Amino acid sequence: MISNRQLCIGLSLNATWNKGDGWRDPDSGVEQTGTIDYYIHWAKIAEKFKLDFLFRADYLYISPQMLGDSSNFGSPDPTLFFAAIARETNRIGLVTTISTTFNPPYVVARQLQSLHWLSNGRAGWNIVTSIEGADNFGNSPMPSPEERYAKAMEFTEVVCKLWESFPDEAIVIDRKSGLFSDKDKVTAINHSGEFFNVKGPLTLPSHPSGSIPLFQAGASDIGRNFSSSVADAIFAAMPDLESGVELRNDLRRRALEHGRDPNAIKVLPGLYFFLGDTYEEALELHKAAHSHLTLERRHASLQSVMGLDLTGYPLDQRVIAEMLPDPSQAVRSRTHAELLRSFITKYQPTVEEILDRPEVVGSAHWVSVGTVETVMNDIIERLEAGAIDGFMALPGGSEKSMEIFFEQLIPKLVERGMFRSEYEGATLRDHLGIS
């Protein structure tokens, strides 16, 4: 029996549909991906179909793999990006990404509250600690994950204090008495911590809709602890159903240990889908999206992700737990490394199977390939198993795949009672059910 829980659905506005060789299609629209009008077009469509929010990831560096044969070469500042979209939309949430490793909290608090006002209560903050980019900020080498997360925890605390330092209630606008604002309600925070010393208060009041929802991602132990303590929604890496059930249960348990209501957090994995009119069409889209990755690049990616060197091994050689590198060594992504480590330990896959893994070819997300019925059944299965509260839509393969998602898949979810047919509120907090 299908759960009566409503899905929370966001759309990534990073052009995942042009990943790999997708941009080589003359009809891909890749020439337009540098223009804000292109994204406003898709933002309006997402709002038309009542999605909860739009999302934009951010990159503070350019690696060699982002250049050459890839259209994924860079990114505008997502907060400025959403400021433009805010003026062209009315209801849909706008979740920007800002790093706690390379920015001052006062500036971030001000930027986010400004976006909250510009969008009339629709801003959200995806908190990231960054895994690369230190060289661009004169802060090389990268701090350890432990230090980055400790800093993120204090950073988030400071930002929230600054939002509270100038409450909306401080604005009086009493023309008779001549009192515009109550200065006694605007207070300094005088924060003094391990990483930051910030006096405050903020230079603008909080929005009357309430505080800005917090989003976070991270499947490592330290990442789970952080996200379960502060986030309203968690972007999760869960390539299979079993890992999704385990992750959601663990996050809810940790939230309870932090004194939070487990139902107050939403676990939203990325759903990297390839939709076609037939299964064969969708499969070709998936194949084309990764065909540019040579064997050498896959091996290099595996070494970067988890420090495992399988070059020279036959493709049909099985890899066992004893072949895994020291788990304490520095890797590019601890989250992806732990997902791969678990997969190898559990299944003893071949070298070829490992090199085809999402974590290696560029995505640790849940991948679904097929027709509308195929992808919808995947969603229902994970919802009923308790693995998800919704998902982040990552369209793959082509714009047609995204069009099928909106015009066919979303209406079917509405018919099944799993998604809204109309917005019930006007703010991101409304959409997420935050009281």
mmCIF file with all atom_site columns, all heavy atoms in Angstrom, residues 352-376:
data_model
loop_
_atom_site.group_PDB
_atom_site.id
_atom_site.type_symbol
_atom_site.label_atom_id
_atom_site.label_alt_id
_atom_site.label_comp_id
_atom_site.label_asym_id
_atom_site.label_entity_id
_atom_site.label_seq_id
_atom_site.pdbx_PDB_ins_code
_atom_site.Cartn_x
_atom_site.Cartn_y
_atom_site.Cartn_z
_atom_site.occupancy
_atom_site.B_iso_or_equiv
_atom_site.pdbx_formal_charge
_atom_site.auth_seq_id
_atom_site.auth_comp_id
_atom_site.auth_asym_id
_atom_site.auth_atom_id
_atom_site.pdbx_PDB_model_num
ATOM 1   N N   . GLU A 1 352 ? 35.590 -4.045 -13.342 1.00 0.00 ? 352 GLU A N   1
ATOM 2   C CA  . GLU A 1 352 ? 34.705 -3.368 -14.290 1.00 0.00 ? 352 GLU A CA  1
ATOM 3   C C   . GLU A 1 352 ? 33.475 -2.818 -13.604 1.00 0.00 ? 352 GLU A C   1
ATOM 4   O O   . GLU A 1 352 ? 33.029 -1.693 -13.887 1.00 0.00 ? 352 GLU A O   1
ATOM 5   C CB  . GLU A 1 352 ? 34.298 -4.331 -15.398 1.00 0.00 ? 352 GLU A CB  1
ATOM 6   C CG  . GLU A 1 352 ? 33.471 -3.693 -16.501 1.00 0.00 ? 352 GLU A CG  1
ATOM 7   C CD  . GLU A 1 352 ? 33.199 -4.636 -17.651 1.00 0.00 ? 352 GLU A CD  1
ATOM 8   O OE1 . GLU A 1 352 ? 33.253 -5.866 -17.442 1.00 0.00 ? 352 GLU A OE1 1
ATOM 9   O OE2 . GLU A 1 352 ? 32.925 -4.148 -18.765 1.00 0.00 ? 352 GLU A OE2 1
ATOM 10  N N   . GLU A 1 353 ? 32.889 -3.591 -12.681 1.00 0.00 ? 353 GLU A N   1
ATOM 11  C CA  . GLU A 1 353 ? 31.700 -3.133 -11.962 1.00 0.00 ? 353 GLU A CA  1
ATOM 12  C C   . GLU A 1 353 ? 32.005 -1.914 -11.095 1.00 0.00 ? 353 GLU A C   1
ATOM 13  O O   . GLU A 1 353 ? 31.191 -0.997 -10.975 1.00 0.00 ? 353 GLU A O   1
ATOM 14  C CB  . GLU A 1 353 ? 31.145 -4.270 -11.098 1.00 0.00 ? 353 GLU A CB  1
ATOM 15  C CG  . GLU A 1 353 ? 30.476 -5.362 -11.913 1.00 0.00 ? 353 GLU A CG  1
ATOM 16  C CD  . GLU A 1 353 ? 30.116 -6.579 -11.080 1.00 0.00 ? 353 GLU A CD  1
ATOM 17  O OE1 . GLU A 1 353 ? 30.786 -6.825 -10.039 1.00 0.00 ? 353 GLU A OE1 1
ATOM 18  O OE2 . GLU A 1 353 ? 29.177 -7.295 -11.463 1.00 0.00 ? 353 GLU A OE2 1
ATOM 19  N N   . ILE A 1 354 ? 33.183 -1.896 -10.497 1.00 0.00 ? 354 ILE A N   1
ATOM 20  C CA  . ILE A 1 354 ? 33.583 -0.743 -9.677  1.00 0.00 ? 354 ILE A CA  1
ATOM 21  C C   . ILE A 1 354 ? 33.762 0.494  -10.550 1.00 0.00 ? 354 ILE A C   1
ATOM 22  O O   . ILE A 1 354 ? 33.332 1.596  -10.194 1.00 0.00 ? 354 ILE A O   1
ATOM 23  C CB  . ILE A 1 354 ? 34.879 -1.049 -8.897  1.00 0.00 ? 354 ILE A CB  1
ATOM 24  C CG1 . ILE A 1 354 ? 34.605 -2.128 -7.849  1.00 0.00 ? 354 ILE A CG1 1
ATOM 25  C CG2 . ILE A 1 354 ? 35.430 0.214  -8.234  1.00 0.00 ? 354 ILE A CG2 1
ATOM 26  C CD1 . ILE A 1 354 ? 35.847 -2.635 -7.160  1.00 0.00 ? 354 ILE A CD1 1
ATOM 27  N N   . LEU A 1 355 ? 34.391 0.318  -11.710 1.00 0.00 ? 355 LEU A N   1
ATOM 28  C CA  . LEU A 1 355 ? 34.644 1.457  -12.594 1.00 0.00 ? 355 LEU A CA  1
ATOM 29  C C   . LEU A 1 355 ? 33.368 2.000  -13.229 1.00 0.00 ? 355 LEU A C   1
ATOM 30  O O   . LEU A 1 355 ? 33.372 3.099  -13.775 1.00 0.00 ? 355 LEU A O   1
ATOM 31  C CB  . LEU A 1 355 ? 35.649 1.062  -13.679 1.00 0.00 ? 355 LEU A CB  1
ATOM 32  C CG  . LEU A 1 355 ? 37.054 0.709  -13.195 1.00 0.00 ? 355 LEU A CG  1
ATOM 33  C CD1 . LEU A 1 355 ? 37.943 0.329  -14.377 1.00 0.00 ? 355 LEU A CD1 1
ATOM 34  C CD2 . LEU A 1 355 ? 37.678 1.859  -12.413 1.00 0.00 ? 355 LEU A CD2 1
ATOM 35  N N   . ASP A 1 356 ? 32.283 1.241  -13.155 1.00 0.00 ? 356 ASP A N   1
ATOM 36  C CA  . ASP A 1 356 ? 30.982 1.708  -13.643 1.00 0.00 ? 356 ASP A CA  1
ATOM 37  C C   . ASP A 1 356 ? 30.136 2.331  -12.543 1.00 0.00 ? 356 ASP A C   1
ATOM 38  O O   . ASP A 1 356 ? 29.045 2.836  -12.810 1.00 0.00 ? 356 ASP A O   1
ATOM 39  C CB  . ASP A 1 356 ? 30.188 0.542  -14.250 1.00 0.00 ? 356 ASP A CB  1
ATOM 40  C CG  . ASP A 1 356 ? 30.658 0.188  -15.656 1.00 0.00 ? 356 ASP A CG  1
ATOM 41  O OD1 . ASP A 1 356 ? 31.292 1.054  -16.303 1.00 0.00 ? 356 ASP A OD1 1
ATOM 42  O OD2 . ASP A 1 356 ? 30.401 -0.942 -16.100 1.00 0.00 ? 356 ASP A OD2 1
ATOM 43  N N   . ARG A 1 357 ? 30.626 2.288  -11.300 1.00 0.00 ? 357 ARG A N   1
ATOM 44  C CA  . ARG A 1 357 ? 29.850 2.796  -10.176 1.00 0.00 ? 357 ARG A CA  1
ATOM 45  C C   . ARG A 1 357 ? 29.595 4.296  -10.305 1.00 0.00 ? 357 ARG A C   1
ATOM 46  O O   . ARG A 1 357 ? 30.429 5.051  -10.815 1.00 0.00 ? 357 ARG A O   1
ATOM 47  C CB  . ARG A 1 357 ? 30.586 2.537  -8.861  1.00 0.00 ? 357 ARG A CB  1
ATOM 48  C CG  . ARG A 1 357 ? 30.528 1.113  -8.394  1.00 0.00 ? 357 ARG A CG  1
ATOM 49  C CD  . ARG A 1 357 ? 29.159 0.714  -7.919  1.00 0.00 ? 357 ARG A CD  1
ATOM 50  N NE  . ARG A 1 357 ? 28.764 1.422  -6.703  1.00 0.00 ? 357 ARG A NE  1
ATOM 51  C CZ  . ARG A 1 357 ? 27.611 1.267  -6.097  1.00 0.00 ? 357 ARG A CZ  1
ATOM 52  N NH1 . ARG A 1 357 ? 26.708 0.456  -6.594  1.00 0.00 ? 357 ARG A NH1 1
ATOM 53  N NH2 . ARG A 1 357 ? 27.326 1.933  -4.998  1.00 0.00 ? 357 ARG A NH2 1
ATOM 54  N N   . PRO A 1 358 ? 28.434 4.766  -9.815  1.00 0.00 ? 358 PRO A N   1
ATOM 55  C CA  . PRO A 1 358 ? 28.126 6.202  -9.870  1.00 0.00 ? 358 PRO A CA  1
ATOM 56  C C   . PRO A 1 358 ? 29.184 7.071  -9.186  1.00 0.00 ? 358 PRO A C   1
ATOM 57  O O   . PRO A 1 358 ? 29.492 8.155  -9.662  1.00 0.00 ? 358 PRO A O   1
ATOM 58  C CB  . PRO A 1 358 ? 26.781 6.290  -9.139  1.00 0.00 ? 358 PRO A CB  1
ATOM 59  C CG  . PRO A 1 358 ? 26.167 4.948  -9.276  1.00 0.00 ? 358 PRO A CG  1
ATOM 60  C CD  . PRO A 1 358 ? 27.314 3.979  -9.261  1.00 0.00 ? 358 PRO A CD  1
ATOM 61  N N   . GLU A 1 359 ? 29.739 6.589  -8.068  1.00 0.00 ? 359 GLU A N   1
ATOM 62  C CA  . GLU A 1 359 ? 30.758 7.389  -7.365  1.00 0.00 ? 359 GLU A CA  1
ATOM 63  C C   . GLU A 1 359 ? 31.991 7.607  -8.227  1.00 0.00 ? 359 GLU A C   1
ATOM 64  O O   . GLU A 1 359 ? 32.705 8.595  -8.070  1.00 0.00 ? 359 GLU A O   1
ATOM 65  C CB  . GLU A 1 359 ? 31.180 6.689  -6.063  1.00 0.00 ? 359 GLU A CB  1
ATOM 66  C CG  . GLU A 1 359 ? 30.066 6.466  -5.078  1.00 0.00 ? 359 GLU A CG  1
ATOM 67  C CD  . GLU A 1 359 ? 29.357 5.133  -5.285  1.00 0.00 ? 359 GLU A CD  1
ATOM 68  O OE1 . GLU A 1 359 ? 29.555 4.494  -6.331  1.00 0.00 ? 359 GLU A OE1 1
ATOM 69  O OE2 . GLU A 1 359 ? 28.608 4.734  -4.377  1.00 0.00 ? 359 GLU A OE2 1
ATOM 70  N N   . VAL A 1 360 ? 32.249 6.677  -9.146  1.00 0.00 ? 360 VAL A N   1
ATOM 71  C CA  . VAL A 1 360 ? 33.438 6.754  -10.002 1.00 0.00 ? 360 VAL A CA  1
ATOM 72  C C   . VAL A 1 360 ? 33.159 7.551  -11.261 1.00 0.00 ? 360 VAL A C   1
ATOM 73  O O   . VAL A 1 360 ? 33.961 8.398  -11.670 1.00 0.00 ? 360 VAL A O   1
ATOM 74  C CB  . VAL A 1 360 ? 33.946 5.338  -10.361 1.00 0.00 ? 360 VAL A CB  1
ATOM 75  C CG1 . VAL A 1 360 ? 35.115 5.414  -11.347 1.00 0.00 ? 360 VAL A CG1 1
ATOM 76  C CG2 . VAL A 1 360 ? 34.361 4.588  -9.097  1.00 0.00 ? 360 VAL A CG2 1
ATOM 77  N N   . VAL A 1 361 ? 32.022 7.304  -11.904 1.00 0.00 ? 361 VAL A N   1
ATOM 78  C CA  . VAL A 1 361 ? 31.725 8.000  -13.170 1.00 0.00 ? 361 VAL A CA  1
ATOM 79  C C   . VAL A 1 361 ? 31.161 9.393  -12.939 1.00 0.00 ? 361 VAL A C   1
ATOM 80  O O   . VAL A 1 361 ? 30.902 10.127 -13.885 1.00 0.00 ? 361 VAL A O   1
ATOM 81  C CB  . VAL A 1 361 ? 30.759 7.187  -14.058 1.00 0.00 ? 361 VAL A CB  1
ATOM 82  C CG1 . VAL A 1 361 ? 31.364 5.859  -14.436 1.00 0.00 ? 361 VAL A CG1 1
ATOM 83  C CG2 . VAL A 1 361 ? 29.413 7.011  -13.377 1.00 0.00 ? 361 VAL A CG2 1
ATOM 84  N N   . GLY A 1 362 ? 30.969 9.766  -11.676 1.00 0.00 ? 362 GLY A N   1
ATOM 85  C CA  . GLY A 1 362 ? 30.637 11.166 -11.433 1.00 0.00 ? 362 GLY A CA  1
ATOM 86  C C   . GLY A 1 362 ? 29.409 11.430 -10.607 1.00 0.00 ? 362 GLY A C   1
ATOM 87  O O   . GLY A 1 362 ? 29.045 12.576 -10.415 1.00 0.00 ? 362 GLY A O   1
ATOM 88  N N   . SER A 1 363 ? 28.735 10.394 -10.104 1.00 0.00 ? 363 SER A N   1
ATOM 89  C CA  . SER A 1 363 ? 27.548 10.648 -9.291  1.00 0.00 ? 363 SER A CA  1
ATOM 90  C C   . SER A 1 363 ? 27.343 9.508  -8.315  1.00 0.00 ? 363 SER A C   1
ATOM 91  O O   . SER A 1 363 ? 27.315 8.338  -8.701  1.00 0.00 ? 363 SER A O   1
ATOM 92  C CB  . SER A 1 363 ? 26.302 10.790 -10.178 1.00 0.00 ? 363 SER A CB  1
ATOM 93  O OG  . SER A 1 363 ? 25.143 10.897 -9.376  1.00 0.00 ? 363 SER A OG  1
ATOM 94  N N   . ALA A 1 364 ? 27.211 9.847  -7.035  1.00 0.00 ? 364 ALA A N   1
ATOM 95  C CA  . ALA A 1 364 ? 26.889 8.840  -6.021  1.00 0.00 ? 364 ALA A CA  1
ATOM 96  C C   . ALA A 1 364 ? 25.397 8.833  -5.750  1.00 0.00 ? 364 ALA A C   1
ATOM 97  O O   . ALA A 1 364 ? 24.944 8.284  -4.752  1.00 0.00 ? 364 ALA A O   1
ATOM 98  C CB  . ALA A 1 364 ? 27.654 9.133  -4.738  1.00 0.00 ? 364 ALA A CB  1
ATOM 99  N N   . HIS A 1 365 ? 24.635 9.449  -6.666  1.00 0.00 ? 365 HIS A N   1
ATOM 100 C CA  . HIS A 1 365 ? 23.202 9.565  -6.450  1.00 0.00 ? 365 HIS A CA  1
ATOM 101 C C   . HIS A 1 365 ? 22.460 8.296  -6.864  1.00 0.00 ? 365 HIS A C   1
ATOM 102 O O   . HIS A 1 365 ? 22.997 7.411  -7.517  1.00 0.00 ? 365 HIS A O   1
ATOM 103 C CB  . HIS A 1 365 ? 22.661 10.761 -7.238  1.00 0.00 ? 365 HIS A CB  1
ATOM 104 C CG  . HIS A 1 365 ? 23.190 12.075 -6.774  1.00 0.00 ? 365 HIS A CG  1
ATOM 105 N ND1 . HIS A 1 365 ? 22.915 12.596 -5.532  1.00 0.00 ? 365 HIS A ND1 1
ATOM 106 C CD2 . HIS A 1 365 ? 24.002 12.984 -7.386  1.00 0.00 ? 365 HIS A CD2 1
ATOM 107 C CE1 . HIS A 1 365 ? 23.512 13.756 -5.392  1.00 0.00 ? 365 HIS A CE1 1
ATOM 108 N NE2 . HIS A 1 365 ? 24.176 14.018 -6.498  1.00 0.00 ? 365 HIS A NE2 1
ATOM 109 N N   . TRP A 1 366 ? 21.242 8.255  -6.475  1.00 0.00 ? 366 TRP A N   1
ATOM 110 C CA  . TRP A 1 366 ? 20.301 7.221  -6.900  1.00 0.00 ? 366 TRP A CA  1
ATOM 111 C C   . TRP A 1 366 ? 20.036 7.441  -8.384  1.00 0.00 ? 366 TRP A C   1
ATOM 112 O O   . TRP A 1 366 ? 19.622 8.519  -8.811  1.00 0.00 ? 366 TRP A O   1
ATOM 113 C CB  . TRP A 1 366 ? 19.066 7.397  -6.037  1.00 0.00 ? 366 TRP A CB  1
ATOM 114 C CG  . TRP A 1 366 ? 17.762 6.864  -6.481  1.00 0.00 ? 366 TRP A CG  1
ATOM 115 C CD1 . TRP A 1 366 ? 17.493 5.837  -7.336  1.00 0.00 ? 366 TRP A CD1 1
ATOM 116 C CD2 . TRP A 1 366 ? 16.483 7.344  -6.024  1.00 0.00 ? 366 TRP A CD2 1
ATOM 117 N NE1 . TRP A 1 366 ? 16.134 5.653  -7.448  1.00 0.00 ? 366 TRP A NE1 1
ATOM 118 C CE2 . TRP A 1 366 ? 15.493 6.557  -6.654  1.00 0.00 ? 366 TRP A CE2 1
ATOM 119 C CE3 . TRP A 1 366 ? 16.087 8.351  -5.147  1.00 0.00 ? 366 TRP A CE3 1
ATOM 120 C CZ2 . TRP A 1 366 ? 14.142 6.747  -6.441  1.00 0.00 ? 366 TRP A CZ2 1
ATOM 121 C CZ3 . TRP A 1 366 ? 14.742 8.540  -4.937  1.00 0.00 ? 366 TRP A CZ3 1
ATOM 122 C CH2 . TRP A 1 366 ? 13.778 7.746  -5.572  1.00 0.00 ? 366 TRP A CH2 1
ATOM 123 N N   . VAL A 1 367 ? 20.310 6.419  -9.194  1.00 0.00 ? 367 VAL A N   1
ATOM 124 C CA  . VAL A 1 367 ? 20.158 6.513  -10.645 1.00 0.00 ? 367 VAL A CA  1
ATOM 125 C C   . VAL A 1 367 ? 18.980 5.646  -11.073 1.00 0.00 ? 367 VAL A C   1
ATOM 126 O O   . VAL A 1 367 ? 18.878 4.482  -10.687 1.00 0.00 ? 367 VAL A O   1
ATOM 127 C CB  . VAL A 1 367 ? 21.437 6.063  -11.376 1.00 0.00 ? 367 VAL A CB  1
ATOM 128 C CG1 . VAL A 1 367 ? 21.242 6.146  -12.895 1.00 0.00 ? 367 VAL A CG1 1
ATOM 129 C CG2 . VAL A 1 367 ? 22.630 6.901  -10.947 1.00 0.00 ? 367 VAL A CG2 1
ATOM 130 N N   . SER A 1 368 ? 18.073 6.220  -11.851 1.00 0.00 ? 368 SER A N   1
ATOM 131 C CA  . SER A 1 368 ? 16.919 5.479  -12.349 1.00 0.00 ? 368 SER A CA  1
ATOM 132 C C   . SER A 1 368 ? 16.799 5.708  -13.850 1.00 0.00 ? 368 SER A C   1
ATOM 133 O O   . SER A 1 368 ? 16.748 6.858  -14.301 1.00 0.00 ? 368 SER A O   1
ATOM 134 C CB  . SER A 1 368 ? 15.636 5.916  -11.640 1.00 0.00 ? 368 SER A CB  1
ATOM 135 O OG  . SER A 1 368 ? 14.556 5.071  -11.968 1.00 0.00 ? 368 SER A OG  1
ATOM 136 N N   . VAL A 1 369 ? 16.756 4.624  -14.601 1.00 0.00 ? 369 VAL A N   1
ATOM 137 C CA  . VAL A 1 369 ? 16.748 4.682  -16.068 1.00 0.00 ? 369 VAL A CA  1
ATOM 138 C C   . VAL A 1 369 ? 15.537 3.931  -16.600 1.00 0.00 ? 369 VAL A C   1
ATOM 139 O O   . VAL A 1 369 ? 15.305 2.775  -16.230 1.00 0.00 ? 369 VAL A O   1
ATOM 140 C CB  . VAL A 1 369 ? 18.041 4.057  -16.642 1.00 0.00 ? 369 VAL A CB  1
ATOM 141 C CG1 . VAL A 1 369 ? 18.038 4.142  -18.172 1.00 0.00 ? 369 VAL A CG1 1
ATOM 142 C CG2 . VAL A 1 369 ? 19.275 4.737  -16.057 1.00 0.00 ? 369 VAL A CG2 1
ATOM 143 N N   . GLY A 1 370 ? 14.746 4.580  -17.449 1.00 0.00 ? 370 GLY A N   1
ATOM 144 C CA  . GLY A 1 370 ? 13.619 3.874  -18.048 1.00 0.00 ? 370 GLY A CA  1
ATOM 145 C C   . GLY A 1 370 ? 12.472 4.781  -18.406 1.00 0.00 ? 370 GLY A C   1
ATOM 146 O O   . GLY A 1 370 ? 12.641 5.979  -18.643 1.00 0.00 ? 370 GLY A O   1
ATOM 147 N N   . THR A 1 371 ? 11.287 4.216  -18.423 1.00 0.00 ? 371 THR A N   1
ATOM 148 C CA  . THR A 1 371 ? 10.076 4.963  -18.747 1.00 0.00 ? 371 THR A CA  1
ATOM 149 C C   . THR A 1 371 ? 9.535  5.636  -17.483 1.00 0.00 ? 371 THR A C   1
ATOM 150 O O   . THR A 1 371 ? 10.056 5.439  -16.382 1.00 0.00 ? 371 THR A O   1
ATOM 151 C CB  . THR A 1 371 ? 9.003  4.022  -19.310 1.00 0.00 ? 371 THR A CB  1
ATOM 152 O OG1 . THR A 1 371 ? 8.674  3.055  -18.308 1.00 0.00 ? 371 THR A OG1 1
ATOM 153 C CG2 . THR A 1 371 ? 9.502  3.312  -20.560 1.00 0.00 ? 371 THR A CG2 1
ATOM 154 N N   . VAL A 1 372 ? 8.459  6.403  -17.649 1.00 0.00 ? 372 VAL A N   1
ATOM 155 C CA  . VAL A 1 372 ? 7.817  7.052  -16.501 1.00 0.00 ? 372 VAL A CA  1
ATOM 156 C C   . VAL A 1 372 ? 7.422  6.019  -15.451 1.00 0.00 ? 372 VAL A C   1
ATOM 157 O O   . VAL A 1 372 ? 7.615  6.223  -14.249 1.00 0.00 ? 372 VAL A O   1
ATOM 158 C CB  . VAL A 1 372 ? 6.585  7.854  -16.967 1.00 0.00 ? 372 VAL A CB  1
ATOM 159 C CG1 . VAL A 1 372 ? 5.732  8.271  -15.780 1.00 0.00 ? 372 VAL A CG1 1
ATOM 160 C CG2 . VAL A 1 372 ? 7.017  9.073  -17.767 1.00 0.00 ? 372 VAL A CG2 1
ATOM 161 N N   . GLU A 1 373 ? 6.874  4.878  -15.888 1.00 0.00 ? 373 GLU A N   1
ATOM 162 C CA  . GLU A 1 373 ? 6.440  3.841  -14.949 1.00 0.00 ? 373 GLU A CA  1
ATOM 163 C C   . GLU A 1 373 ? 7.623  3.278  -14.177 1.00 0.00 ? 373 GLU A C   1
ATOM 164 O O   . GLU A 1 373 ? 7.525  3.025  -12.965 1.00 0.00 ? 373 GLU A O   1
ATOM 165 C CB  . GLU A 1 373 ? 5.724  2.718  -15.706 1.00 0.00 ? 373 GLU A CB  1
ATOM 166 C CG  . GLU A 1 373 ? 4.337  3.067  -16.206 1.00 0.00 ? 373 GLU A CG  1
ATOM 167 C CD  . GLU A 1 373 ? 4.350  4.079  -17.357 1.00 0.00 ? 373 GLU A CD  1
ATOM 168 O OE1 . GLU A 1 373 ? 5.374  4.154  -18.079 1.00 0.00 ? 373 GLU A OE1 1
ATOM 169 O OE2 . GLU A 1 373 ? 3.353  4.797  -17.529 1.00 0.00 ? 373 GLU A OE2 1
ATOM 170 N N   . THR A 1 374 ? 8.759  3.096  -14.859 1.00 0.00 ? 374 THR A N   1
ATOM 171 C CA  . THR A 1 374 ? 9.955  2.558  -14.202 1.00 0.00 ? 374 THR A CA  1
ATOM 172 C C   . THR A 1 374 ? 10.420 3.484  -13.092 1.00 0.00 ? 374 THR A C   1
ATOM 173 O O   . THR A 1 374 ? 10.652 3.053  -11.953 1.00 0.00 ? 374 THR A O   1
ATOM 174 C CB  . THR A 1 374 ? 11.096 2.380  -15.229 1.00 0.00 ? 374 THR A CB  1
ATOM 175 O OG1 . THR A 1 374 ? 10.674 1.521  -16.277 1.00 0.00 ? 374 THR A OG1 1
ATOM 176 C CG2 . THR A 1 374 ? 12.329 1.786  -14.552 1.00 0.00 ? 374 THR A CG2 1
ATOM 177 N N   . VAL A 1 375 ? 10.581 4.750  -13.408 1.00 0.00 ? 375 VAL A N   1
ATOM 178 C CA  . VAL A 1 375 ? 11.088 5.712  -12.430 1.00 0.00 ? 375 VAL A CA  1
ATOM 179 C C   . VAL A 1 375 ? 10.078 5.930  -11.314 1.00 0.00 ? 375 VAL A C   1
ATOM 180 O O   . VAL A 1 375 ? 10.444 6.025  -10.135 1.00 0.00 ? 375 VAL A O   1
ATOM 181 C CB  . VAL A 1 375 ? 11.461 7.040  -13.119 1.00 0.00 ? 375 VAL A CB  1
ATOM 182 C CG1 . VAL A 1 375 ? 11.924 8.067  -12.094 1.00 0.00 ? 375 VAL A CG1 1
ATOM 183 C CG2 . VAL A 1 375 ? 12.562 6.810  -14.169 1.00 0.00 ? 375 VAL A CG2 1
ATOM 184 N N   . MET A 1 376 ? 8.793  5.986  -11.655 1.00 0.00 ? 376 MET A N   1
ATOM 185 C CA  . MET A 1 376 ? 7.770  6.167  -10.622 1.00 0.00 ? 376 MET A CA  1
ATOM 186 C C   . MET A 1 376 ? 7.768  4.985  -9.651  1.00 0.00 ? 376 MET A C   1
ATOM 187 O O   . MET A 1 376 ? 7.642  5.168  -8.433  1.00 0.00 ? 376 MET A O   1
ATOM 188 C CB  . MET A 1 376 ? 6.392  6.338  -11.251 1.00 0.00 ? 376 MET A CB  1
ATOM 189 C CG  . MET A 1 376 ? 5.310  6.623  -10.213 1.00 0.00 ? 376 MET A CG  1
ATOM 190 S SD  . MET A 1 376 ? 3.707  7.036  -10.943 1.00 0.00 ? 376 MET A SD  1
ATOM 191 C CE  . MET A 1 376 ? 3.298  5.457  -11.686 1.00 0.00 ? 376 MET A CE  1
#
